[in-house]
Short mmCIF file of all heavy atoms in Angstrom, two decimals:
data_model
loop_
_atom_site.label_atom_id
_atom_site.label_comp_id
_atom_site.label_asym_id
_atom_site.label_seq_id
_atom_site.Cartn_x
_atom_site.Cartn_y
_atom_site.Cartn_z
N ILE A 71 -12.60 -17.95 -16.30
CA ILE A 71 -12.83 -17.62 -14.94
C ILE A 71 -14.37 -17.26 -14.85
O ILE A 71 -14.83 -16.58 -15.67
CB ILE A 71 -12.08 -16.50 -14.36
CG1 ILE A 71 -10.60 -16.64 -14.50
CG2 ILE A 71 -12.49 -16.01 -12.99
CD1 ILE A 71 -9.73 -15.49 -14.31
N THR A 72 -15.04 -18.01 -13.91
CA THR A 72 -16.46 -17.68 -13.75
C THR A 72 -16.63 -17.42 -12.11
O THR A 72 -16.04 -17.85 -11.23
CB THR A 72 -17.37 -18.77 -14.11
OG1 THR A 72 -16.98 -19.99 -13.40
CG2 THR A 72 -17.40 -19.02 -15.62
N ARG A 73 -17.60 -16.46 -11.85
CA ARG A 73 -17.99 -16.06 -10.63
C ARG A 73 -19.46 -16.44 -10.24
O ARG A 73 -20.22 -16.42 -11.32
CB ARG A 73 -17.84 -14.54 -10.47
CG ARG A 73 -16.40 -14.05 -10.59
CD ARG A 73 -15.45 -14.63 -9.52
NE ARG A 73 -15.68 -14.54 -8.15
CZ ARG A 73 -15.15 -13.48 -7.35
NH1 ARG A 73 -14.38 -12.66 -7.88
NH2 ARG A 73 -15.50 -13.59 -6.05
N GLY A 74 -19.72 -16.70 -9.06
CA GLY A 74 -21.09 -16.80 -8.51
C GLY A 74 -21.60 -15.43 -7.98
O GLY A 74 -20.94 -14.39 -8.41
N GLU A 75 -22.56 -15.28 -7.35
CA GLU A 75 -23.18 -14.22 -6.75
C GLU A 75 -22.09 -13.54 -5.81
O GLU A 75 -21.40 -14.30 -5.01
CB GLU A 75 -24.32 -14.42 -6.01
CG GLU A 75 -25.16 -13.21 -5.47
CD GLU A 75 -26.30 -13.48 -4.77
OE1 GLU A 75 -26.99 -14.53 -4.99
OE2 GLU A 75 -26.89 -12.63 -4.04
N LEU A 76 -21.92 -12.33 -5.90
CA LEU A 76 -20.95 -11.49 -5.06
C LEU A 76 -21.62 -10.81 -4.02
O LEU A 76 -22.59 -10.09 -4.13
CB LEU A 76 -20.16 -10.55 -5.97
CG LEU A 76 -19.43 -11.07 -7.10
CD1 LEU A 76 -18.75 -10.00 -7.90
CD2 LEU A 76 -18.43 -12.25 -6.68
N LEU A 77 -21.04 -10.85 -2.85
CA LEU A 77 -21.43 -10.03 -1.58
C LEU A 77 -20.47 -8.88 -1.56
O LEU A 77 -19.18 -9.08 -1.50
CB LEU A 77 -21.36 -10.92 -0.19
CG LEU A 77 -21.46 -10.09 1.05
CD1 LEU A 77 -23.00 -9.47 1.08
CD2 LEU A 77 -21.21 -10.95 2.16
N ILE A 78 -21.04 -7.65 -1.73
CA ILE A 78 -20.14 -6.48 -1.66
C ILE A 78 -20.46 -5.67 -0.42
O ILE A 78 -21.52 -5.38 -0.17
CB ILE A 78 -20.50 -5.55 -2.97
CG1 ILE A 78 -20.17 -6.46 -4.21
CG2 ILE A 78 -19.58 -4.28 -2.93
CD1 ILE A 78 -20.53 -5.74 -5.54
N ARG A 79 -19.53 -5.40 0.31
CA ARG A 79 -19.58 -4.54 1.48
C ARG A 79 -18.55 -3.30 1.34
O ARG A 79 -17.43 -3.54 0.95
CB ARG A 79 -19.28 -5.19 2.71
CG ARG A 79 -20.31 -6.34 2.90
CD ARG A 79 -19.89 -7.36 4.11
NE ARG A 79 -18.73 -8.07 3.63
CZ ARG A 79 -17.70 -8.48 4.34
NH1 ARG A 79 -17.74 -8.22 5.55
NH2 ARG A 79 -16.76 -9.23 3.97
N LEU A 80 -19.15 -2.09 1.60
CA LEU A 80 -18.23 -0.92 1.64
C LEU A 80 -17.95 -0.34 2.91
O LEU A 80 -18.79 -0.43 3.86
CB LEU A 80 -19.00 0.17 0.74
CG LEU A 80 -19.31 -0.05 -0.72
CD1 LEU A 80 -20.10 1.04 -1.26
CD2 LEU A 80 -18.04 -0.40 -1.43
N VAL A 81 -16.67 0.05 3.05
CA VAL A 81 -16.24 0.83 4.24
C VAL A 81 -15.48 2.10 3.66
O VAL A 81 -14.33 2.01 3.24
CB VAL A 81 -15.38 0.10 5.20
CG1 VAL A 81 -14.95 0.71 6.35
CG2 VAL A 81 -15.93 -1.43 5.50
N GLY A 82 -16.11 3.26 3.77
CA GLY A 82 -15.58 4.40 3.04
C GLY A 82 -15.27 4.05 1.53
O GLY A 82 -16.19 3.76 0.80
N ASP A 83 -13.95 4.35 1.15
CA ASP A 83 -13.61 4.21 -0.26
C ASP A 83 -13.00 2.65 -0.36
O ASP A 83 -12.26 2.53 -1.40
CB ASP A 83 -12.73 5.19 -0.80
CG ASP A 83 -13.40 6.50 -0.97
OD1 ASP A 83 -14.58 6.52 -1.29
OD2 ASP A 83 -12.80 7.56 -0.93
N VAL A 84 -13.28 1.70 0.39
CA VAL A 84 -12.87 0.34 0.23
C VAL A 84 -13.95 -0.46 0.07
O VAL A 84 -14.99 -0.43 0.85
CB VAL A 84 -12.04 0.01 1.55
CG1 VAL A 84 -11.66 -1.43 1.59
CG2 VAL A 84 -10.85 0.92 1.64
N ALA A 85 -13.83 -1.43 -0.85
CA ALA A 85 -14.90 -2.49 -0.98
C ALA A 85 -14.23 -3.80 -0.65
O ALA A 85 -13.17 -4.21 -1.10
CB ALA A 85 -15.39 -2.51 -2.45
N VAL A 86 -15.13 -4.59 0.02
CA VAL A 86 -14.76 -6.06 0.22
C VAL A 86 -15.74 -6.92 -0.57
O VAL A 86 -16.87 -6.69 -0.37
CB VAL A 86 -14.67 -6.47 1.77
CG1 VAL A 86 -14.43 -7.82 1.98
CG2 VAL A 86 -13.83 -5.42 2.67
N VAL A 87 -15.19 -7.68 -1.50
CA VAL A 87 -16.03 -8.41 -2.34
C VAL A 87 -15.69 -9.97 -2.09
O VAL A 87 -14.60 -10.41 -2.26
CB VAL A 87 -15.73 -8.12 -3.89
CG1 VAL A 87 -16.64 -8.86 -4.71
CG2 VAL A 87 -16.01 -6.56 -4.16
N THR A 88 -16.79 -10.73 -1.80
CA THR A 88 -16.73 -12.12 -1.47
C THR A 88 -17.73 -12.93 -2.28
O THR A 88 -18.88 -12.49 -2.47
CB THR A 88 -16.93 -12.44 0.15
OG1 THR A 88 -16.16 -11.56 0.76
CG2 THR A 88 -16.71 -13.67 0.29
N GLY A 89 -17.21 -13.93 -2.77
CA GLY A 89 -18.13 -14.96 -3.60
C GLY A 89 -17.41 -16.13 -4.23
O GLY A 89 -16.04 -16.20 -4.28
N GLN A 90 -18.04 -17.01 -4.82
CA GLN A 90 -17.59 -18.15 -5.39
C GLN A 90 -16.85 -17.92 -6.69
O GLN A 90 -17.26 -16.82 -7.44
CB GLN A 90 -18.67 -19.26 -5.65
CG GLN A 90 -19.19 -19.90 -4.42
CD GLN A 90 -20.07 -21.10 -4.62
OE1 GLN A 90 -20.19 -21.50 -5.76
NE2 GLN A 90 -20.91 -21.45 -3.74
N LEU A 91 -15.77 -18.61 -6.82
CA LEU A 91 -14.92 -18.47 -8.09
C LEU A 91 -14.56 -19.86 -8.57
O LEU A 91 -14.25 -20.68 -7.81
CB LEU A 91 -13.75 -17.61 -7.55
CG LEU A 91 -12.45 -17.52 -8.60
CD1 LEU A 91 -12.90 -16.62 -9.73
CD2 LEU A 91 -11.33 -16.97 -7.82
N THR A 92 -14.65 -19.89 -9.84
CA THR A 92 -14.13 -21.24 -10.52
C THR A 92 -13.18 -20.76 -11.55
O THR A 92 -13.45 -20.00 -12.50
CB THR A 92 -15.33 -22.13 -11.10
OG1 THR A 92 -16.22 -22.26 -10.14
CG2 THR A 92 -14.82 -23.28 -11.67
N ASN A 93 -11.88 -21.34 -11.51
CA ASN A 93 -10.90 -21.04 -12.60
C ASN A 93 -10.75 -22.38 -13.29
O ASN A 93 -10.50 -23.42 -12.73
CB ASN A 93 -9.65 -20.73 -11.87
CG ASN A 93 -9.61 -19.38 -11.19
OD1 ASN A 93 -10.27 -18.58 -11.66
ND2 ASN A 93 -8.92 -19.33 -10.15
N LEU A 94 -10.69 -22.39 -14.63
CA LEU A 94 -10.21 -23.37 -15.49
C LEU A 94 -8.77 -22.93 -15.73
O LEU A 94 -8.53 -21.90 -16.36
CB LEU A 94 -11.00 -23.42 -16.80
CG LEU A 94 -10.50 -24.56 -17.75
CD1 LEU A 94 -10.49 -25.92 -17.20
CD2 LEU A 94 -11.35 -24.57 -19.05
N LEU A 95 -7.83 -23.81 -15.39
CA LEU A 95 -6.40 -23.48 -15.40
C LEU A 95 -5.64 -24.37 -16.40
O LEU A 95 -5.94 -25.58 -16.40
CB LEU A 95 -5.87 -23.57 -13.99
CG LEU A 95 -6.37 -22.70 -12.91
CD1 LEU A 95 -5.94 -23.05 -11.54
CD2 LEU A 95 -6.13 -21.33 -13.09
N ARG A 96 -4.63 -23.81 -16.97
CA ARG A 96 -3.55 -24.60 -17.68
C ARG A 96 -2.62 -24.95 -16.75
O ARG A 96 -2.02 -24.31 -16.02
CB ARG A 96 -3.03 -23.70 -18.80
CG ARG A 96 -1.95 -24.40 -19.76
CD ARG A 96 -1.36 -23.42 -20.80
NE ARG A 96 -2.35 -23.15 -21.70
CZ ARG A 96 -2.86 -21.98 -22.05
NH1 ARG A 96 -2.57 -20.87 -21.24
NH2 ARG A 96 -3.72 -21.70 -22.89
#
Side-chain angles (χ1 to χ4, degrees):
I71 301 170
T72 55
R73 296 300 303 262
E75 185 175 340
L76 300 178
L77 170 63
I78 301 171
R79 296 169 291 145
L80 299 175
V81 181
D83 284 332
V84 172
V86 179
V87 180
T88 308
Q90 289 190 15
L91 171 68
T92 303
N93 291 326
L94 177 60
L95 301 165
R96 179 179 290 114

